[in-house]
Amino acid sequence: MDYKRLIIRGISYSQTQSGAYALLLEDEETNVKLPVVIGNFEAQSISLGLEKDIQPPRPLTHDLFSKFVTSTNYTLSSVIIYQIVDGVFFSNINFKNNANGEELILDARTSDAVAMAVRFEAPIYTTPQVLNEAGILLELNDPTNTDENIDVVSMEGDLQSLPLEDLKKLLDDAVKDEDFDTALELQHEIKRRNKKIE
């Protein structure tokens, strides 16, 4: 099978389903985008997996399962989004035993598969058929839509008017309260300011 490698382009509130998010994956060769509707918890988990420097006070479900996989001497080698039926994506998580090379394939929701893949920095693939059926071609010329900037809905109030020290304190408080959406928004503002300083 000729698989197409996907990269994560962003996460935003879903325009079609209330209370849901859209995970935007992109074929790295053709720039065809694959939008996947995911839940709030999975969106937070993927975002936290991408932001390696934010650690929740207690492990999330995907962190716990990742630790279990590692402790049993397995590695997550890849994720394959292999099918779409009535708008629902089907995915496999491919594991490899580090001791004997034996492979293990588990069926998973795509949102969970991606949340695991980011923790292992494993590649995400799909089939040409899935891209043809569900892919869209968008031009993302907006400079805020980069791999480092996950598009999260803005917080109330203007972060740009707050001093850097206040932002850092708010970030610490948000992580302690497990308010990861706010934490990510604050983290992006702090990173934006640090880039200007450099």
Side-chain angles (χ1 to χ4, degrees):
M1 176 71 62
D2 179 29
Y3 290 118
K4 303 292 186 181
R5 185 162 181 171
L6 301 172
I7 56 174
I8 297 173
R9 289 292 285 156
I11 299 174
S12 64
Y13 275 122
S14 172
Q15 302 299 315
T16 58
Q17 292 189 26
S18 177
Y21 286 78
L23 167 66
L24 197 61
L25 302 170
E26 178 183 88
D27 178 1
E28 62 182 6
E29 292 177 3
T30 64
N31 298 327
V32 171
K33 313 301 188 285
L34 194 65
V36 181
V37 176
I38 62 175
N40 178 47
F41 172 75
E42 291 80 8
Q44 282 187 351
S45 185
I46 292 168
S47 296
L48 284 170
L50 292 168
E51 296 286 338
K52 306 289 186 199
D53 46 349
I54 295 182
Q55 295 296 322
R58 303 294 299 139
L60 300 178
T61 305
H62 296 110
D63 298 321
L64 183 64
F65 189 58
S66 296
K67 194 142 207 141
F68 174 78
V69 168
T70 304
S71 66
T72 56
N73 204 21
Y74 275 84
T75 301
L76 193 154
S77 55
S78 67
V79 162
I80 298 175
I81 304 169
Y82 65 90
Q83 188 178 22
I84 179 170
V85 177
D86 296 329
V88 177
F89 291 94
F90 290 77
S91 297
N92 284 332
I93 305 177
N94 300 316
F95 298 95
K96 187 173 186 178
N97 187 307
N98 295 324
N100 59 21
E102 180 182 315
E103 293 184 358
L104 173 66
I105 300 172
L106 296 180
D107 182 42
R109 294 185 311 165
T110 299
S111 55
D112 291 327
V114 171
M116 292 295 296
V118 297
R119 283 161 172 76
F120 283 89
E121 298 180 2
I124 302 167
Y125 299 102
T126 194
T127 65
Q129 291 81 7
V130 169
L131 276 179
N132 288 338
E133 189 170 339
I136 53 175
L137 190 56
L138 294 174
E139 291 303 321
L140 295 181
N141 292 327
D142 183 352
T144 60
N145 276 332
T146 65
D147 292 338
E148 288 129 19
N149 284 331
I150 304 302
D151 182 20
V152 181
V153 172
S154 297
M155 292 172 49
E156 303 225 351
D158 188 4
L159 292 180
Q160 296 176 0
S161 65
L162 293 174
L164 188 59
E165 292 306 313
D166 288 354
L167 289 175
K168 289 179 180 175
K169 184 181 182 323
L170 286 172
L171 176 62
D172 289 341
D173 291 344
V175 171
K176 283 179 192 164
D177 295 339
E178 298 188 11
D179 183 359
F180 301 122
D181 287 334
T182 301
L184 286 170
E185 188 75 16
L186 290 161
Q187 178 100 6
H188 291 312
E189 176 62 19
I190 291 168
K191 282 184 177 179
R192 186 188 67 78
R193 291 191 193 185
N194 287 339
K195 282 181 184 173
K196 281 188 176 178
I197 292 169
E198 294 168 3

